[in-house]
Amino acid sequence: MHSVRPWLAHYDADVAHSIAPYPDKTLIDYLADLSRAHGDRSAVLFKGASVSYRLLETQSDAFAAAVASLGVRPGDRVALILPNCPQFMIAQFGVWKAGGVVVALNPIYSERELEAALESTGAVLAIALTPFYARVKAVQGRTRLRGVIATSIKEYLPPALRLLFTVFKEKKDGHRITIAAEDMWFQDLLRTHRASPKTGVNVRPDDRAVILSSGGTTGTPKGVVGLHRHYVAAGRQLHEWTKSALNQWTDTIMLPLPLFHVYANVGVQPLAFVAGAPLSIVPNPRDLDDLLKTIRQVKPAFFNGIPTLYTAILNHPDVQNGKVDLRSIKLCFCGSSALMAETKRRFEDATGARIVEGYSLTEGMMACCVNPVKGKNKIGSIGLPLPDVDVRIVDTEGGERDLPSGEVGELIMRAPQHFAEYWNNPEETADTLRTHGPGGPWVHSGDLAYMDDEGYLFIVDRKKDMLKTSGYQVWPREIEEVLASHPAVMEVSVAGVPDPLKGEVPKAWVILRAGQSATESELRAHCRERLAPYKVPVQVEFRKELPKTMVGKVLRRLLVEETKRAS
C-alpha cells in the first residue's frame, strides 16, 4: 500500500490511514447534538460576545421557519452577502434547515460581479449587512431575487460596544439605513418566528449545501457546488490530523479568514463543530488592530491564516514592540498561496507555535494536503494528503500518465468530499472532473507540482501563471522565494509581462520592510547569484501595497494589466 501511497508511512503515529466509513450526518446534526449535550458552551466568539450552541440552534431554527414562510423551498438558492459575524452562521444553518442552498458571496463584490453571481445561481433571497444593502438593491431588478433581509453588524456586539458603535460609527460608516417596504430586518424575523415549529425538511448528506465562487482571479468565475457530506468529511479528516494538538472545549480556533471562502467555510468551520471547539470569528482580517485585540481577548490555540496575513502580523508595530502576546497559539494552518520560508521561521520564533502549510482548492472542498502536526515538515512543501485523499502527479497534456517522483506535472486529487459540479456548467465540470481508470473521477487542479520519494508534495506554480521566456519555462514562485530571502523585502509578487523579443519576461513587484532600503539593481544582483540568467526579473517595481482579493491572494493579473497599460 505504501508503494502506491508513499505518504502513509509518514503520518503522525496517532493519525489513521483511513477514517471511512463517514457518518450519515450533516453539520445540522452535529449542531443539534452539541446543543442537546453542551448547549451552554460557546459555539461562536465575536468581539467579546459569545453565541452558545443552544442559541445558534434555536435562532437558526427560527430563521429556517422565516425563510420557509418567505417561500424558500428545498433546493432554492439563498445568497449571504455578509462578513464573518454570527448572522452568517445563523443564516447559513437556517437556510440549510429549510432545505436551501447557501450562495456565499464576497460582500465587497462590485455591482457587476454581484449581479452576475446572483443571476447565474438564480438566488431567490439575499441576506446582506447594512453597508452592502444598497448595492444588492441596485441589481435586484436584473436578478431573480424576491426579497432582501438586512442585518446590522451591531446586533451581536456586547452591550457597551453596541452603544459605542451606535453613537460613533453607525451613521458615519454607512451602517444606518432605511430598508424598502418589501424587505425585512434579520432580528424582526427571528423574533417573529422564535416559537414557530421546525420546518420538518429532511436534509440528507447528498443534498446540495453550498455554492462557492472559483476562478475569479484567473478566469471566469464559476459556482462550485458542495454537498452536506463534504462538510462532515472535511471536518473529520482535519480533526483526525490535528486531534493531538486540539483540546476539546478549552482550545479556541481563531478564524480571521472570510466564511465565503472554502478555506474557512468548508475547512475551519466544520473542524470547530467536529472537534467541539469555540470558533472566534473576525469580520475584517485587514483591520490588524482589531485582529490583535481579538488575539488578546480569546488567546487562541489554533490560528488560521495565509502568508500575507502572517507577514502583516509580524510587521505590526505592537508585535514588533512586544505589546502583543502570541504565545497562546500552538498550531497554525497556512494555505491559499505559497508560504515563504523566512515568514514561517519568523512567525514560529515569535509564537513558539508550529505553522503547518497546506493546500486545497475550492473544487477540492478541503480535500487537503497538510504537513504533519508533529512529524517532519519540509520547507516549501504543502505536506501529505489527509486520510482518504488520493493525489497523483500526471502529465500536463492529457493527464493519463503518472510521473515519477521529482518530476513536475499537474496535481490531480480524489476524495470523499471533492466538489459535485459547477453550477449549470456541464462543460467546465467535465473538463475539471475527469475519469482516469476505476474509482471515480479526479479533480484536475491546474496546479503544477511534484512529489518526492516520501510522498511530500511541492507546488511549483499555477499552470496559468507559468511563463515562457525565449522558450524556457519559468515559475514565478521560484523567483518570489529568492526575492523574499532578501532581508529588505517584506512582500513580493512575480509575473510574466510581454516582451517583443523573448515573448515574456519576469517582472517583480516588491514591498520593502519598514526602515529597510534596497535598489532595483541590488535585488536583481541578489537573484543573479541564485537563479539562472533567464529567471532574473528584468524589472523590479517598488510599491507600498499589492492588489489582493479579500482572502489575501495577490492579483498577479492586475499587476500585469497595469504594466501593459503603461507600456
Side-chain angles (χ1 to χ4, degrees):
M1 191 178 204
H2 289 184
S3 61
V4 178
R5 300 180 177 91
W7 53 83
L8 295 177
H10 304 283
Y11 276 14
D12 285 342
D14 64 336
V15 176
H17 291 179
S18 172
I19 53 175
Y22 290 81
D24 191 33
K25 295 175 68 173
T26 70
L27 278 194
I28 299 170
D29 300 318
Y30 276 89
L31 174 58
D33 292 344
L34 288 163
S35 177
R36 280 191 296 269
H38 307 282
D40 293 333
R41 292 189 180 274
S42 295
V44 182
L45 304 175
F46 180 69
K47 288 187 170 291
S50 171
V51 176
S52 69
Y53 290 113
R54 184 176 294 113
L55 185 62
L56 182 55
E57 172 79 344
T58 57
Q59 292 205 340
S60 59
D61 281 345
F63 195 73
V67 296
S69 74
L70 295 172
V72 172
R73 298 293 177 259
D76 282 350
R77 278 77 61 206
V78 177
L80 305 190
I81 305 161
L82 300 166
N84 287 7
C85 56
Q87 296 97 308
F88 187 108
M89 300 184 73
I90 293 165
Q92 170 192 253
F93 275 97
V95 170
W96 285 345
K97 290 176 179 181
V101 181
V102 168
V103 180
L105 297 179
N106 187 337
I108 65 170
Y109 270 170
S110 66
E111 284 188 16
R112 180 187 62 81
E113 292 168 317
L114 184 59
E115 179 185 342
L118 292 171
E119 179 54 28
S120 65
T121 58
V124 298
L125 188 67
I127 298 94
L129 200 72
T130 48
F132 316 124
Y133 174 81
R135 199 178 316 144
V136 179
K137 296 300 288 184
V139 304
Q140 181 179 359
R142 300 188 294 277
T143 72
R144 281 170 272 185
L145 284 182
R146 299 197 294 261
V148 182
I149 299 169
T151 185
S152 169
I153 196 71
K154 75 178 184 180
E155 290 167 11
Y156 289 86
L157 295 177
L161 191 57
R162 187 184 312 146
L163 177 62
L164 290 171
F165 180 88
T166 302
V167 173
F168 295 108
K169 295 193 71 175
E170 186 173 26
K171 187 175 182 180
K172 181 179 67 175
D173 293 347
H175 289 269
R176 186 176 298 171
I177 64 168
T178 301
I179 64 172
E182 68 273 14
D183 293 333
M184 300 135 287
W185 284 102
F186 189 83
Q187 291 299 322
D188 289 346
L189 288 171
L190 293 185
R191 281 190 290 270
T192 300
H193 292 276
R194 62 187 174 189
S196 297
K198 295 192 176 189
T199 61
V201 176
N202 184 26
V203 180
R204 305 298 305 147
D206 282 322
D207 292 341
R208 292 181 177 124
V210 71
I211 300 176
L212 299 171
S213 295
S214 175
T217 62
T218 55
T220 304
K222 300 177 284 290
V224 178
V225 176
L227 310 181
H228 282 283
R229 64 178 171 85
H230 296 164
Y231 284 87
V232 173
R236 286 180 61 86
Q237 288 169 3
L238 287 162
H239 184 234
E240 181 68 19
W241 200 256
T242 60
K243 63 186 180 184
S244 64
L246 271 176
N247 296 316
Q248 192 178 36
W249 312 128
T250 58
D251 280 354
T252 296
I253 299 173
M254 188 168 178
L255 180 58
L257 304 176
L259 278 161
F260 65 76
H261 190 270
V262 68
Y263 183 166
N265 191 280
V266 193
V268 183
Q269 179 182 212
L271 172 61
F273 285 95
V274 171
L279 187 64
S280 172
I281 55 176
V282 176
N284 181 8
R286 296 187 181 186
D287 185 349
L288 286 177
D289 290 337
D290 181 57
L291 175 66
L292 295 174
K293 179 182 177 182
T294 305
I295 290 175
R296 291 188 188 101
Q297 284 179 335
V298 305
K299 295 180 171 50
F302 189 6
F303 189 89
N304 299 273
I306 59 173
T308 52
L309 183 56
Y310 288 113
T311 299
I313 290 171
L314 287 169
N315 286 281
H316 191 280
D318 286 355
V319 174
Q320 293 187 336
N321 294 331
K323 295 180 180 179
V324 181
D325 184 2
L326 302 173
R327 294 273 163 178
S328 68
I329 303 171
K330 56 185 178 181
L331 182 66
C332 304
F333 266 173
C334 185
S336 188
S337 58
L339 176 67
M340 302 301 173
E342 180 64 11
T343 303
K344 176 180 170 68
R345 183 193 65 77
R346 290 178 63 216
F347 197 87
E348 290 181 340
D349 286 349
T351 61
R354 186 167 199 177
I355 298 183
V356 292
E357 188 173 4
Y359 164 90
S360 189
L361 65 162
T362 310
E363 289 80 355
M365 287 285 155
M366 294 310 290
C368 281
C369 301
V370 189
N371 275 279
V373 170
K374 293 182 177 178
K376 186 189 301 182
N377 276 218
K378 296 188 178 183
I379 298 297
S381 173
I382 57 169
L384 310 168
L386 293 182
D388 303 313
V389 177
D390 268 333
V391 169
R392 294 164 56 194
I393 306 297
V394 298
D395 67 282
T396 57
E397 290 76 26
E400 299 290 345
R401 180 170 56 89
D402 286 288
L403 301 182
S405 62
E407 190 168 330
V408 174
E410 184 180 8
L411 185 154
I412 65 175
M413 62 166 56
R414 181 167 64 189
Q417 74 267 37
H418 69 235
F419 83 123
E421 61 184 326
Y422 290 121
W423 180 259
N424 282 345
N425 199 334
E427 295 82 8
E428 290 279 3
T429 301
D431 186 55
T432 301
L433 274 180
R434 299 184 223 163
T435 300
H436 304 286
W442 295 79
V443 176
H444 280 250
S445 71
D447 286 321
L448 297 170
Y450 68 90
M451 183 186 296
D452 70 13
D453 291 336
E454 294 182 318
Y456 282 78
L457 289 142
F458 296 78
I459 295 292
V460 175
D461 230 315
R462 293 283 305 169
K463 282 170 67 176
K464 293 178 181 178
D465 289 334
M466 183 183 73
L467 63 116
K468 282 192 174 182
T469 180
S470 299
Y472 291 105
Q473 292 183 341
V474 177
W475 294 292
R477 178 177 175 178
E478 182 182 7
I479 305 171
E480 289 170 351
E481 285 279 6
V482 169
L483 283 167
S485 69
H486 191 283
V489 173
M490 184 174 80
E491 282 191 68
V492 59
S493 184
V494 172
V497 296
D499 181 85
L501 296 178
K502 298 179 179 180
E504 284 183 298
V505 289
K507 176 179 176 177
W509 293 263
V510 167
I511 300 175
L512 296 176
R513 297 187 192 280
Q516 298 285 327
S517 63
T519 64
E520 179 178 11
S521 59
E522 181 182 345
L523 293 182
R524 293 185 73 240
H526 180 77
C527 290
R528 275 196 299 272
E529 293 174 0
R530 295 160 176 82
L531 295 168
Y534 63 88
K535 297 178 182 178
V536 175
V538 298
Q539 184 182 356
V540 177
E541 180 181 323
F542 295 99
R543 298 174 64 111
K544 293 191 179 298
E545 60 181 8
L546 297 172
K548 295 170 185 170
T549 67
M550 189 172 173
V551 181
K553 283 186 178 180
V554 176
L555 290 164
R556 286 172 170 165
R557 171 176 51 84
L558 293 186
L559 293 170
V560 172
E561 288 173 0
E562 288 177 12
T563 298
K564 287 179 179 178
R565 288 196 298 268
S567 62

